[in-house]
Amino acid sequence: MPLAVVPKPASITPGTGAFVVRASTTVSVNPSTPETRRIATVLAGVLGVNVGSAPAPIALELGGPPQLGDEGYELTVAGSGVRLVAHAPAGLFYGVQTIRQLLGGRRIPAVRIRDRPRFGWRGAMLDVARHFRPMRDVKRFVDLMALYKLNRLHLHLTDDQGWRIAISSWPRLAAHGGSTQVGGGKGGYYTGQQYSDIVRYAAARYVEVVPEIEMPGHVHAALSSYPKLSCDGKATPLHTGIEVGFSSLCVDKALTYEFVSDVIGELARLTPGPFIHIGGDEAAATKPADYVRFVRRVQEIVRSHGKRMIGWEEIGRVKLHPSSVVQHWTLDTGRSALSARGAAQGAKVIMSPADHAYLDMKYDASTQLGLKWAGYTSVRNAYSWEPARQVAGVGASSLLGVEAALWSETVRSMADAEYLAFPRLIGIAEIGWSPMRGRSWADYRTRLGAQGPLLRALGVNFYRSPEIPWR
Ligand code: TNX
């Protein structure tokens, strides 16, 4: 079945016939800059051909209309050639991802596509704190994200069970706090250089890294590394269980804010993107009034390092700067009002409703991996929701976009991660990219089924859900 593109393009019109790629076919790019040549080289690699300099039957061009935005593209495939036009390089890159999906053997079916995303924020979160993921896994995850036009990688770098980023002024955070994980494995952490390597790798695939440092709760690994950060100053062993909600930074100590500023400052210098995520969820061991004071100060610290703060929806309780962003996650309507409180203050919202967008929920009762506190999440359920209708008071104009979260309490390997993320992440990618009108489960499940050969070719350990007519 041709034309099974996911996410579904804004407009797609089938033609007749196909372009057949021959060994002598070349790819041209105009203008030729290091960035556009890199994109042309990706396409040439996929097609098994070379990038040429003369006008070629496969032509990539910048200079498309500004209405395409930074990420949109126009693709025209006919028997005589392939023309991909964008206004900016990211659009060319996404057009190349579409061509990857259209390609069947040596044939690209004739088609005309005009495409651009609904939302600017199309994210995926990896929890590398509960179980650490080495560099190669993170890079592979980025590659798979890019194939489905996702553009934000949120790294949950710290939690009760582990601290996964080296901070030069507080070396024990990683050296000690990163030395184990859930279940007692050896854990791990990224050096600043490794983190920068991830940032560069992601940027080359138009994915921006959003680092998260959890506070004031979920900080046991930090307190175990530096007992002086806790209110009682007592040394504690590392935590390898999965329960949370028992740790808190000491809100009244001056040292706490030196710590926060050192950590956020170092991370801000390593992160070119504008956002730092400060967690803020489930601060069950912090008194409500302390929480509010703490997050307000942290918001100023983040701003003083030139960044915008993101926090889980609980930060809606705090007076927010309009540049701050709230990430909605709960299902319970009472607490959901917290993201509406954020939106009412002018903060933008990222939608990650746990009952649709939490990739760590089991598919059904037979799934071995995963949790089920938000219910089972079938492939259909992960796809069947509308971000602008999740929370009263958080409409389309408040939304930055959507994000899927892969919490890793039960995720011990990349194979586990892929099993939970695929194919559900692809559905979230479509919700983030495609116009609401025109999306339907019946149509989606067929297009998703057509991703089977590509996912198999890439060796993805995806869940062969019986809901999907896999090809
Ligand atoms: C809730 S979502 C959490 C995480 C857990 C996750 C497991 C959120 C902001 N907090 O700490 O890992 O559930 O599904």
Side-chain angles (χ1 to χ4, degrees), residues 109-127:
V111 70
R112 210 187 138 72
I113 293 176
R114 196 184 165 102
D115 201 8
R116 58 173 294 173
R118 177 177 177 196
F119 291 115
W121 189 290
R122 304 178 305 279
M125 191 210 79
L126 270 188
D127 172 7

Side-chain angles (χ1 to χ4, degrees), residues 339-374:
S339 48
R341 268 162 75 176
Q345 301 186 57
K348 292 283 186 248
V349 177
I350 299 165
M351 272 295 158
S352 306
D355 49 346
H356 299 289
Y358 270 26
L359 302 172
D360 62 316
M361 292 302 121
K362 292 175 182 292
Y363 290 96
D364 61 32
S366 72
T367 313
Q368 298 292 308
L369 295 169
L371 305 174
K372 58 178 184 188
W373 66 263

Side-chain angles (χ1 to χ4, degrees), residues 78-121:
S80 53
V82 174
R83 185 162 178 260
L84 173 59
V85 181
H87 181 65
L92 287 183
F93 182 80
Y94 290 134
V96 167
Q97 304 312 313
T98 295
I99 294 172
R100 281 174 81 185
Q101 293 186 16
L102 288 171
L103 186 66
R106 309 300 294 157
R107 294 163 56 86
I108 309 172
V111 70
R112 210 187 138 72
I113 293 176
R114 196 184 165 102
D115 201 8
R116 58 173 294 173
R118 177 177 177 196
F119 291 115
W121 189 290

Side-chain angles (χ1 to χ4, degrees), residues 312-318 320 326-345 349 351 390-394:
W312 297 105
E313 68 192 75
E314 285 90 329
I315 68 164
R317 303 212 304 259
V318 180
L320 295 177
V326 177
Q327 184 163 14
H328 174 81
W329 68 279
T330 63
L331 5 159
D332 153 293
T333 24
R335 283 153 51 80
S336 295
L338 290 172
S339 48
R341 268 162 75 176
Q345 301 186 57
V349 177
M351 272 295 158
Q390 283 296 303
V391 182
V394 183

Side-chain angles (χ1 to χ4, degrees), residues 127 130 156 159 214 218 244 281-282 312 314 329 358 360-361 371 373 407-409:
D127 172 7
R130 273 55 177 274
H156 184 76
D159 213 300
E214 266 273 11
H218 292 255
V244 293
D281 64 302
E282 300 177 323
W312 297 105
E314 285 90 329
W329 68 279
Y358 270 26
D360 62 316
M361 292 302 121
L371 305 174
W373 66 263
W407 299 99
S408 70
E409 286 92 334

